[in-house]
């Protein structure tokens, strides 16, 4: 998870574009010939895209961009600490 990438995805892409990209990456990950390295890269991209989608949702519900980004980061870090 990289907040600068999530911020850029949020600022430059619509939720619809992010969802379509997410579908493609998930399909790519299901291909049995995908290497472990490719899966790691795709997994990182999926995490960043999901973060951008969550930021879009939170901003739409009235949260500031900064707070939405921090909220997602805390959510991810909180799940790692458990």
């Amino acid at each position: 998870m990289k907040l600068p990438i999530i911020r850029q995805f949020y600022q430059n892409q619509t939720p619809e574009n992010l969802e379509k990209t997410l579908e493609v990456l998930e399909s790519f990950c299901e291909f049995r010939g995908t290497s472990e390295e490719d899966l790691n890269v795709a997994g990182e991209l999926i995490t960043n895209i999901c973060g951008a989608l969550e930021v879009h949702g939170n901003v739409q519900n009235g949260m500031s961009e900064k707070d939405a980004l921090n909220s997602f980061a805390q959510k991810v870090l909180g799940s790692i600490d458990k």
Side-chain angles (χ1 to χ4, degrees), residues 6-80:
I6 293 170
R7 180 183 295 116
Q8 182 166 346
F9 284 167
Y10 163 74
Q11 291 174 342
N12 296 317
Q13 298 298 321
T14 65
E16 294 79 19
N17 284 346
L18 292 169
E19 288 171 4
K20 288 176 186 176
T21 304
L22 188 59
E23 288 178 28
V24 170
L25 286 170
E26 289 172 343
S27 179
F28 173 76
C29 289
E30 293 171 359
F31 175 64
R32 66 185 176 106
T34 305
S35 71
E36 192 69 31
E37 183 179 346
D38 289 341
L39 286 173
N40 288 336
V41 171
E44 182 72 18
L45 286 168
I46 288 170
T47 300
N48 292 327
I49 290 169
C50 288
L53 285 168
E54 187 165 322
V55 171
H56 269 291
N58 286 340
V59 169
Q60 189 174 18
N61 290 330
M63 195 178 282
S64 73
E65 178 183 333
K66 180 181 175 183
D67 289 341
L69 285 163
N70 287 334
S71 173
F72 180 75
Q74 290 303 317
K75 183 177 181 179
V76 171
L77 293 174
S79 70
I80 293 171

